[in-house]
Amino acid sequence: MNLRFTEEQEMMRKMVQDFAEKEVQPEVEQMEGEERFPRKIVRKMGELGLMGVPIPEDYGGSGMDYTSYIIAINELSKVSATLGVILSVHTSVGTNPILYFGNDKQKNKYVPKLASGEYLGAFALTEPGAGSDAASLKTKAVKSDTDYILNGSKVFITNGGEADTYITFARTSDEPGSKGVSAFIVEKDTPGLIIGKPEKKMGLHGSSTVQLTFDNCKVPKEQLLGDEGEGFKIAMANLNVGRIGIAAQALGIGEAALDYSAAYAKEREQFGKPIAANQGIAFKLADMATEVEAAKLLVYQAAALVEQDAPSSKEASMAKMYASKTARKAAIEAVQIFGGYGYTEEYPVERLFRDAKVTEIYEGTNEIQHKVIAKSLLD
Ligand code: CAA
């Protein structure tokens, strides 16, 4: 397969790189330090067409290929993993479920607003007792003449409190497991939707993560997404592809860790020579570079499969698992190479170290990615 970017993809890469350096980099420290959601930057991303990269032009998107979208997350995440996850969740699991499973009315009502960045999207699947075992979710949706009444709670909702729409999963029948789950588009001002306090997280401090409570939340019947009972499939289908977005975020973190480390190792002198002149440091850099390159190949291979409409869930899980592990390892090595300075907030590797960890957890832990990969090998 050809892993060289096309001219259009290369233009996207340069545009996002330029945007990230000029508009994001100067804001990162304050945004993370103050745990402030980057509204202004997200608005600018909307103006640049970044909030709807792979969404067809007919629905107000940029109409670009899936690889271009992955490039955007990858490049942004080199500078800010916070913006990487905001974009990935908004597009892969906040917008795509409506584009692929919505009826015409839903698509026309929501997709153009999401693709332009006027609306921000979120995805509400996880519950306090249903994380990896997503099919055990307990939130209930009881049908009345005109509405569904939702009761239950969701946790760890990325973009929560900032989003305009929540793709929400709830049980519409007593059928056990995945069968009785349905999906809904819940608007932020729906009566009975209560946004909880933001979580205090290890990293990604500019991104908002909240609990949601549905307290007799009255969702109009026309907000059902797909058919009743189709919810679990909608969640899985979008996570299959969405995981490549998180893999691209992890790749960006790994690349940043490598770049900072190589530059520092050449500059920092001890015992009268740059620390890079020591094999102990040079070999660390060689390992980091090899693993980052392997992660890149997996990420862009998975993206290319999506573009070709070929089966991609195994490759997406491989990319997510490997890129997240690489990001974590590269960030740990970066802190080691920076020594005492790496342990302080003065240098960005401390942030990379904190941001990397969650890529092994959200959108399916790496243990779940093992399960998906093994299942597709053995079935
Ligand atoms: N793609 C398509 N369909 C799938 C599927 C997949 N990857 N995995 C399962 N299904 C289908 C099955 O084919 C099956 O359909 P049938 O009943 O018609 O046969 C049905 O779903 C149930 O399948 P299983 O019995 O295999 O499902 P399970 O209960 O064992 O769970 C799982 C499978 C892969 C473990 C799944 O629960 C899972 O992915 N868990 C992780 C949850 C997750 O990723 N959460 C992320 C939350 S969102 C987030 O993190 C966003 C953020 O903030 C960054």
Side-chain angles (χ1 to χ4, degrees), residues 178-232:
S178 62
K179 297 278 183 261
V181 176
S182 300
F184 299 88
I185 307 165
V186 181
E187 293 193 12
K188 68 171 178 190
D189 293 326
T190 310
L193 169 61
I194 301 158
I195 311 284
K197 269 207 327 264
E199 298 289 351
K200 285 273 182 197
K201 307 189 294 288
M202 176 189 284
L204 301 180
H205 287 163
S207 130
S208 87
T209 308
V210 304
Q211 179 162 357
L212 302 178
T213 304
F214 296 86
D215 182 10
N216 287 322
C217 178
K218 211 169 165 186
V219 178
K221 252 175 20 188
E222 58 271 19
Q223 299 301 91
L224 175 71
L225 185 61
D227 292 329
E228 269 196 22
E230 216 191 354
F232 194 72

Side-chain angles (χ1 to χ4, degrees), residues 5-296:
F5 293 148
T6 62
E7 211 173 301
E8 208 185 23
Q9 290 164 350
E10 191 54 36
M11 273 166 61
M12 167 61 92
R13 199 186 67 74
K14 291 218 172 81
M15 188 265 273
V16 181
Q17 189 182 47
D18 193 53
F19 171 73
E21 273 168 19
K22 293 201 179 114
E23 310 266 355
V24 181
Q25 185 74 67
E27 303 281 329
V28 168
E29 217 173 292
Q30 212 181 6
M31 158 179 113
E32 296 293 318
E34 292 173 4
E35 309 208 350
R36 177 169 46 79
F37 185 85
R39 263 279 156 208
K40 212 173 72 193
I41 299 176
V42 171
R43 203 170 306 123
K44 281 191 191 155
M45 283 165 57
E47 286 160 17
L48 289 174
L50 293 176
M51 300 306 279
V53 177
I55 309 300
E57 284 172 299
D58 289 353
Y59 286 104
S62 299
M64 297 182 76
D65 56 27
Y66 192 76
T67 298
S68 300
Y69 161 60
I70 290 302
I71 289 172
I73 299 174
N74 184 182
E75 285 300 325
L76 270 177
S77 302
K78 285 184 192 169
V79 172
S80 164
T82 283
L83 282 164
V85 74
I86 292 171
L87 178 59
S88 182
V89 167
H90 164 80
T91 313
S92 297
V93 289
T95 307
N96 281 348
I98 306 178
L99 181 65
Y100 293 115
F101 294 93
N103 56 37
D104 283 347
K105 204 167 157 207
Q106 292 168 335
K107 286 199 272 195
N108 289 325
K109 181 170 177 193
Y110 293 108
V111 179
K113 288 191 165 125
L114 287 158
S116 67
E118 183 186 338
Y119 275 15
L120 185 70
F123 183 78
L125 174 70
T126 304
E127 298 188 355
S132 290
D133 185 7
S136 70
L137 66 86
K138 288 198 167 61
T139 297
K140 277 208 151 188
V142 177
K143 201 171 176 177
S144 71
D145 280 351
T146 52
D147 307 285
Y148 285 91
I149 308 297
L150 269 62
N151 278 291
S153 61
K154 301 283 176 182
V155 287
F156 307 135
I157 306 307
T158 303
N159 293 345
E162 303 291 337
D164 299 275
T165 50
Y166 296 84
I167 307 297
T168 302
F169 298 86
R171 211 162 267 295
T172 42
S173 84
D174 292 333
E175 279 193 89
S178 62
K179 297 278 183 261
V181 176
S182 300
F184 299 88
I185 307 165
V186 181
E187 293 193 12
K188 68 171 178 190
D189 293 326
T190 310
L193 169 61
I194 301 158
I195 311 284
K197 269 207 327 264
E199 298 289 351
K200 285 273 182 197
K201 307 189 294 288
M202 176 189 284
L204 301 180
H205 287 163
S207 130
S208 87
T209 308
V210 304
Q211 179 162 357
L212 302 178
T213 304
F214 296 86
D215 182 10
N216 287 322
C217 178
K218 211 169 165 186
V219 178
K221 252 175 20 188
E222 58 271 19
Q223 299 301 91
L224 175 71
L225 185 61
D227 292 329
E228 269 196 22
E230 216 191 354
F232 194 72
K233 290 229 167 104
I234 294 177
M236 289 299 121
N238 289 286
L239 282 169
N240 280 344
V241 175
R243 284 168 182 154
I244 308 171
I246 300 303
Q249 182 208 21
L251 174 61
I253 298 171
E255 287 174 310
L258 173 63
D259 291 348
Y260 282 123
S261 300
Y264 186 78
K266 283 194 279 183
E267 218 173 72
R268 168 79 173 164
E269 294 199 357
Q270 287 293 275
F271 305 105
K273 58 182 183 189
I275 59 170
N278 300 308
Q279 210 174 58
I281 300 294
F283 280 18
K284 264 194 210 309
L285 292 170
D287 279 340
M288 287 160 80
T290 306
E291 288 174 10
V292 163
E293 200 62 27
K296 195 182 212 167

Side-chain angles (χ1 to χ4, degrees), residues 323-343:
S324 60
K325 202 194 289 182
T326 298
R328 190 240 309 146
K329 283 168 68 183
I332 289 173
E333 290 296 44
V335 171
Q336 189 67 21
I337 290 168
F338 274 70
Y341 294 111
Y343 200 64

